Amino acid sequence: MTTFPNFLDTFTTTLLGTKPLEENPHHRALLNVFTEVQDLEQRLLTAITAPPEAGTGAAEQLEACTDLLLERLAAGYELSLLLSTACCCTAAAPADKPCGPCGPEQDEECCQETAEPTTGLLDACSDVFAELGDPHAVASADLVDALRRLPGIAGNHWRYSDLTQARLAELLAPHGMQTRDTTLPDGRRRKSYRREALLAALGVSDCC
């Protein structure tokens, strides 16, 4: 799967002698979720059309297809949320102050200040991991469900109660945290956040 920037983009930057441009987390989240939707559609098509594997019954194949379909629907919903979230950046916005996404209740004033993810959100994520017994990974959906019970602002003017998987991904991206396809302790394979990445974002070494 192609990632951006890849080695060709890095080579171009070096060749031209320019500095790499800073990513907009909202745009990165859009790209990641769009790629995820495409990947899930391809996996679902393969699962539906491929002959059953040896030892796999119709019930198991149906369950696998259902899981993929649910993941695809969830990813499609995340993409719709990202596409419908207004980005207030205009040509008049300062070039050195990249804008974050603005909710429907915001106006152009939100361009005057970049709303970065807060350490409080990372601490809240750490608390969720601890409550679950510090597993090696937590599904994005499970993490969002737990965070939505908290009061206060998570970041980018979004309350914890308003978090979605797409919004959480956008808030955590600047900290180097992205979801990965991970097999969880309960056997589910889901888009998940790894404890290792969270500890790195918090600046904590895992001595265990």
Side-chain angles (χ1 to χ4, degrees), residues 152-164:
I153 302 296
N156 280 4
H157 314 288
W158 292 322
R159 295 182 295 272
Y160 281 103
S161 59
D162 294 330
L163 281 180
T164 64

Side-chain angles (χ1 to χ4, degrees), residues 5-160:
N6 59 22
F7 73 98
L8 289 176
D9 303 307
T10 303
F11 173 74
T12 301
T13 300
T14 303
L15 185 64
L16 296 176
T18 58
K19 294 182 179 180
L21 298 175
E22 184 177 353
E23 282 190 0
N24 183 313
H26 184 69
H27 297 163
R28 167 58 66 178
L30 272 169
L31 178 61
N32 287 343
V33 177
F34 176 70
T35 302
E36 180 184 353
V37 167
Q38 289 185 311
D39 176 62
L40 286 170
E41 287 185 349
Q42 182 59 53
R43 289 168 56 191
L44 180 59
L45 179 62
T46 300
I48 292 174
T49 58
E53 297 181 3
T56 301
E60 288 83 357
Q61 186 180 20
L62 178 60
E63 182 179 359
C65 290
T66 301
D67 287 343
L68 283 171
L69 177 59
L70 292 175
E71 286 190 60
R72 165 58 184 84
L73 293 176
Y77 179 66
E78 286 188 53
L79 183 59
S80 296
L81 287 173
L82 285 168
L83 289 171
S84 62
T85 299
C87 188
C88 59
C89 294
T90 65
D96 61 341
K97 291 187 177 181
C99 292
C102 302
E105 71 281 1
Q106 303 298 325
D107 54 30
E108 291 186 0
E109 291 183 359
C110 64
C111 276
Q112 305 305 314
E113 180 179 355
T114 303
E116 294 292 341
T118 63
T119 303
L121 175 59
L122 295 177
D123 289 336
C125 291
S126 180
D127 290 342
V128 173
F129 270 76
E131 290 171 4
L132 296 176
D134 285 326
H136 71 278
V138 172
S140 173
D142 296 341
L143 184 56
V144 168
D145 285 344
L147 292 173
R148 282 172 62 91
R149 304 188 189 106
L150 300 178
I153 302 296
N156 280 4
H157 314 288
W158 292 322
R159 295 182 295 272
Y160 281 103

